Amino acid sequence: MSTTPAPDPTAPAGEFPPTLREVMLRPWWIAMLALALVVAAVFAWLGQWQLSSAIDTDPPPAGATEQLRPLAEVAEPGEYLAEPLVGQKVEVTGSFVPGDFTVISSRYNDGAEGFWVAGQLRVAGTDTPTSLAVAVGWTADRAQAEAAASALTDDPPQDVSLTGRIISDEGPALPPRDDPTEMTRMSPAALLGIWHDIDGLDVYRSYLTSAEAFGGLEAIHSPAPNERSSVNWLNIFYALEWAIFAGFAFYMWYRLARDAREKEVEAFEERQAAGAAPADN
């Protein structure tokens, strides 16, 4: 003989599973929404800051790098060269230090591979000893580069006025295994390690490609840099990423609330199923 199912003692009559709206309006989930709003606001602020950095509202005028300026107006010893000033034409006076001319390999001149000869120019008119690395010429022949470096080392030019382009430090690089003394980068930081008379010396982080060649070398081909765009597309991409992160904060709140509701619905259905199960005879 069968009996009617016993009612579920934990499920009151007329009980229904909660709606998603009811779950979202609970104090806990309202607090989580407030937290999502704070996180989204931070992400939105970061995106706005990134976007404001993406557009240069005061770009340098066209051809600014071609206007000859004193070196002291463009760069300071020990400081990195600002990006808009890379390739700026400058003028400087000074004397080259004896014994400090070096061959730099892997240098290209109008598409042809060859060598630079670089020296230490002691800048005139400074309060403290100040030096600038200067590339004084190019050649396709290593022997000629070494001969020019040797001749300039023995008889360095004195009281010279130079013009050329100021370029950022390329950074040091490991030398080839077969020749640990060879330099393949134009790096004032690396040259400082082999220069003489450096006690108390201030050094420019950037270097100069001289328009005047010395030691029988060819003048270095140093064309004007490309005009910079006033829009930084990478920063715009980052700004879009921050906007996506802001939206994701709300999405996470929604998903967590929905998952919590689904768990409650599953628990409700299990209670209903348990209450509808037939009682033992």
Side-chain angles (χ1 to χ4, degrees):
M1 177 179 178
S2 63
T3 60
T4 59
D8 178 14
T10 64
E15 181 184 7
F16 296 96
T19 64
L20 181 59
R21 180 176 180 274
E22 290 172 342
V23 172
M24 289 180 173
L25 290 177
R26 291 172 183 170
W28 168 258
W29 291 107
I30 290 176
M32 290 297 100
L33 176 60
L35 179 60
L37 284 169
V38 172
V39 173
V42 172
F43 287 159
W45 177 82
L46 289 171
Q48 184 180 13
W49 169 78
Q50 201 81 57
L51 192 61
S52 65
S53 302
I55 301 176
D56 189 354
T57 58
D58 188 23
T65 58
E66 304 312 290
Q67 300 174 7
L68 192 62
R69 299 172 58 184
L71 175 63
E73 292 183 3
V74 175
E76 293 289 339
E79 295 185 0
Y80 289 101
L81 186 63
E83 184 178 351
L85 297 173
V86 174
Q88 175 69 47
K89 281 187 174 181
V90 299
E91 56 184 353
V92 61
T93 59
S95 298
F96 284 97
V97 177
D100 284 343
F101 283 90
T102 306
V103 175
I104 314 294
S105 61
S106 301
R107 300 289 93 185
Y108 287 85
N109 213 49
D110 202 15
E113 185 175 5
F115 306 86
W116 281 358
V117 174
Q120 177 190 176
L121 180 75
R122 192 62 53 87
V123 179
T126 58
D127 296 332
T128 58
T130 304
S131 285
L132 172 70
V134 179
V136 299
W138 175 90
T139 177
D141 183 66
R142 177 185 285 274
Q144 183 182 1
E146 292 176 348
S150 178
L152 291 168
T153 291
D154 295 337
D155 186 19
Q158 302 293 297
D159 300 321
V160 292
S161 295
L162 302 179
T163 61
R165 295 192 187 277
I166 193 73
I167 310 294
S168 297
D169 185 347
E170 295 178 1
L174 291 175
R177 291 185 177 181
D178 57 346
D179 188 358
T181 64
E182 179 158 356
M183 298 187 67
T184 59
R185 297 281 188 91
M186 186 62 179
S187 171
L191 290 170
L192 183 62
I194 60 176
W195 281 350
H196 300 86
D197 190 21
I198 62 172
D199 291 339
L201 185 68
D202 288 336
V203 179
Y204 283 91
R205 285 183 177 269
S206 47
Y207 67 90
L208 182 76
T209 54
S210 175
E212 300 84 17
F214 294 87
L217 300 170
E218 295 181 31
I220 295 172
H221 178 67
S222 187
N226 295 329
E227 295 290 342
R228 296 192 319 126
S229 171
S230 60
V231 178
N232 187 325
W233 292 104
L234 183 60
N235 278 7
I236 290 179
F237 173 75
Y238 289 151
L240 291 175
E241 280 192 332
W242 286 120
I244 293 172
F245 292 157
F248 189 71
F250 289 107
Y251 175 73
M252 283 297 297
W253 171 78
Y254 165 77
R255 276 300 303 265
L256 291 173
R258 193 182 73 174
D259 290 348
R261 188 251 177 186
E262 289 177 354
K263 288 181 180 179
E264 290 190 29
V265 170
E266 289 178 1
F268 175 83
E269 291 175 349
E270 289 176 358
R271 292 198 306 270
Q272 291 293 98
D280 294 335
N281 290 334

